[in-house]
Amino acid sequence: MSGTTNLRVTIWNEFRHERNNPEVTKVYPDGIHAALKNGLMPFGFDIGTATLDEPQHGLTEAVLNETDVLVWWGHQAHDEVDDGIVQRVQERVLQGMGLIVLHSGHYSKIFKKLLGTSCALKWREADEKERLWVVKPAHPIVAGIPEYIELEKEEMYGEFFDIPDPDELVLVSWFEGGEVFRSGVTFSRGQGKIFYFRPGHETYPTYYREPILRIIANAVKWAGSERGANPFYGNAKPLEVIAATKK
């Protein structure tokens, strides 16, 4: 694990909508992963990308072993992600790799596997105003963010969101239609830190917005921060025996 500077980040994206939906192509001509990479580069990360249709979905053991934080965007092809790759990602998260799950990635195999629930929610595709309210202003993920961010058009996600109670609730959304949603939540699994962040429907230019990119960058730094000592598992010697062998 490197420090909070020069973190090694891999951005994973299905890269399907951008190739088969002209409306999405207009917004993200090179893919959501490319837009995120360009937007996050000024924060000093070492960034690579991976997509669904690459061999092993671009998530080889070598790639994951060199990744401090994995950013995940998926939507229409969750079921096409190989279970063996999901297991590989889970193992890396438990070992300490950070995971940032964006928008419809809530229904990805990896997010559901790590959280152990359906991760289902209600949704509505409509041009609705969204206000993202900061409800934990001291948290590093929202450093430099005003008390709320207003997005003129976004897809609605509404409660109930079937996730375990999060470690921390950082952001809550209000939508023009009246719904609210837990839009920024943290979890820990093993040695890994996880952040789910709701905004980012593929037909809206959300990932060009500076406050949204800043939150993702802050989350990368938080998820990639240094850990304490690795836990020991198995048959343990008494501490006095260990101390005696060191004399």
Side-chain angles (χ1 to χ4, degrees):
M1 179 72 63
S2 62
T4 56
T5 58
N6 298 319
L7 284 169
R8 301 166 299 181
V9 179
T10 300
I11 300 171
W12 190 90
N13 175 30
E14 278 182 10
F15 197 33
R16 289 285 181 82
H17 288 295
E18 303 93 318
R19 292 182 291 160
N20 61 30
N21 185 332
E23 186 179 359
V24 181
T25 304
K26 290 179 183 178
V27 181
Y28 296 107
D30 299 315
I32 287 172
H33 55 295
L36 286 169
K37 179 178 180 178
N38 291 337
L40 295 175
M41 285 294 289
F43 293 91
F45 305 130
D46 181 3
I47 303 176
T49 63
T51 58
L52 177 66
D53 292 324
E54 295 177 41
Q56 301 184 58
H57 310 321
L59 299 176
T60 63
E61 289 187 7
V63 167
L64 288 174
N65 287 339
E66 293 298 316
T67 298
D68 295 316
V69 180
L70 177 64
V71 179
W72 190 283
W73 195 100
H75 185 201
Q76 64 178 186
H78 296 311
D79 290 344
E80 295 184 40
V81 178
D82 183 82
D83 290 341
I85 304 300
V86 174
Q87 180 69 28
R88 182 183 295 170
V89 174
Q90 181 196 33
E91 290 173 359
R92 280 289 295 123
V93 172
L94 297 178
Q95 293 165 4
M97 182 182 72
L99 178 66
I100 312 300
V101 178
L102 301 175
H103 191 59
S104 46
H106 73 89
Y107 216 56
S108 62
K109 287 183 177 181
I110 183 58
F111 195 56
K112 292 192 290 185
K113 187 177 183 70
L114 285 164
L115 268 58
T117 57
S118 74
C119 299
L121 47 82
K122 67 166 62 78
W123 54 272
R124 180 172 58 249
E125 287 192 29
D127 292 344
E128 290 192 35
K129 180 189 297 183
E130 175 183 3
R131 284 183 183 154
L132 277 157
W133 290 90
V134 174
V135 295
K136 197 174 181 65
H139 200 284
I141 287 177
V142 287
I145 300 300
E147 68 173 351
Y148 73 87
I149 300 167
E150 188 162 290
L151 301 174
E152 295 78 13
K153 294 181 180 180
E154 255 294 352
E155 179 183 26
M156 186 282 292
Y157 278 11
E159 297 288 346
F160 175 63
F161 187 15
D162 186 23
I163 55 174
D165 289 341
D167 295 344
E168 299 163 301
L169 177 59
V170 183
L171 294 134
V172 170
S173 286
W174 165 88
F175 291 90
E176 202 169 359
E179 290 85 2
V180 295
F181 190 75
R182 290 169 289 170
S183 284
V185 291
T186 72
F187 301 91
S188 59
R189 292 293 184 271
Q191 293 290 89
K193 297 179 180 181
I194 302 167
F195 179 61
Y196 171 75
F197 189 39
R198 195 218 69 82
H201 187 61
E202 65 273 6
T203 59
Y204 303 117
T206 304
Y207 293 131
Y208 298 111
R209 294 285 301 272
E210 193 278 335
I212 299 300
L213 292 168
R214 181 171 293 276
I215 288 173
I216 297 172
N218 288 344
V220 167
K221 294 175 184 178
W222 168 84
S225 60
E226 296 290 347
R227 307 293 194 268
N230 289 327
F232 173 82
Y233 302 106
N235 188 15
K237 297 178 180 179
L239 291 178
E240 57 267 24
V241 173
I242 296 174
T245 62
K246 292 182 178 180
K247 292 181 180 179

